[in-house]
Amino acid sequence: MPELRGRFVEAQPLEPADERIVAVRDSAIAGFLDLIGSHVSNLFVDPQHQGQGIGTALMAEAARRVVGDLTLSVFTLNPDARRLYERLGFRIEGVKTAPFAGSSAEVWIMRKPRPGKWPSGDTPEG
Ligand SMILES: CC(C)(COP(=O)(O)OP(=O)(O)OC[C@H]1O[C@@H](n2cnc3c(N)ncnc32)[C@H](O)[C@@H]1OP(=O)(O)O)[C@@H](O)C(=O)NCCC(=O)NCCS
């Protein structure tokens, strides 16, 4: 995303998350995924490990931990990531402008529909 590159700051801390899932390769962090409730708020894989299935594995682990739909937003300048999410079952629900690095950027809102939460005591059929 060259258009956004100048707007990332090295020392910018990550915003808090409910859960942070970390992928480790050869004893080093190769990527991570943040969850706020059932929303994937961050997903990053180290460039030297991209395209090796780590992002897919992190999303699978997030799906395992969340009951019901998963949501995320992705910059409209990032169609490669959108392609991955669509392959994983996410669909675009809309477009909005979100605050980003002191300014704003357009994002696709995406949702992966999944079986809902079952009331306690009930079990899904089938
Ligand atoms: C998007 C990202 C998380 C995917 O993780 P990954 O480990 O590279 O993904 P996987 O290996 O599981 O799957 C590869 C798929 O990811 C997509 N992809 C997106 N960016 C990619 C990249 N830089 N390199 C390789 N694949 C990328 C492609 O659709 C690819 O599918 P394809 O084989 O059909 O082309 C990772 O590339 C990344 O961190 N990119 C920079 C940060 C980013 O864009 N994060 C998403 C913010 S919503």
Side-chain angles (χ1 to χ4, degrees), residues 19-85:
E19 293 190 72
R20 177 160 295 144
I21 305 168
V22 175
V24 176
R25 272 274 166 93
D26 301 326
S27 306
I29 294 175
F32 72 94
L33 180 153
D34 283 348
L35 276 173
I36 299 177
S38 58
H39 184 76
V40 177
S41 57
N42 276 312
L43 172 61
F44 289 99
V45 173
D46 188 313
Q48 65 178 335
H49 293 297
Q50 288 175 6
Q52 299 169 15
I54 293 174
T56 299
L58 285 165
M59 289 295 285
E61 178 59 21
R64 199 184 65 77
R65 295 181 187 205
V66 168
V67 177
D69 294 0
L70 274 169
T71 59
L72 57 80
S73 58
V74 55
F75 292 121
T76 57
L77 291 167
N78 196 359
D80 289 346
R82 170 186 163 170
R83 197 171 65 244
L84 169 64
Y85 300 142

Side-chain angles (χ1 to χ4, degrees), residues 1-10 77 100-101:
M1 291 175 285
E3 298 88 340
L4 295 180
R5 197 151 289 149
R7 292 163 66 180
F8 287 100
V9 181
E10 288 281 332
L77 291 167
F100 175 68

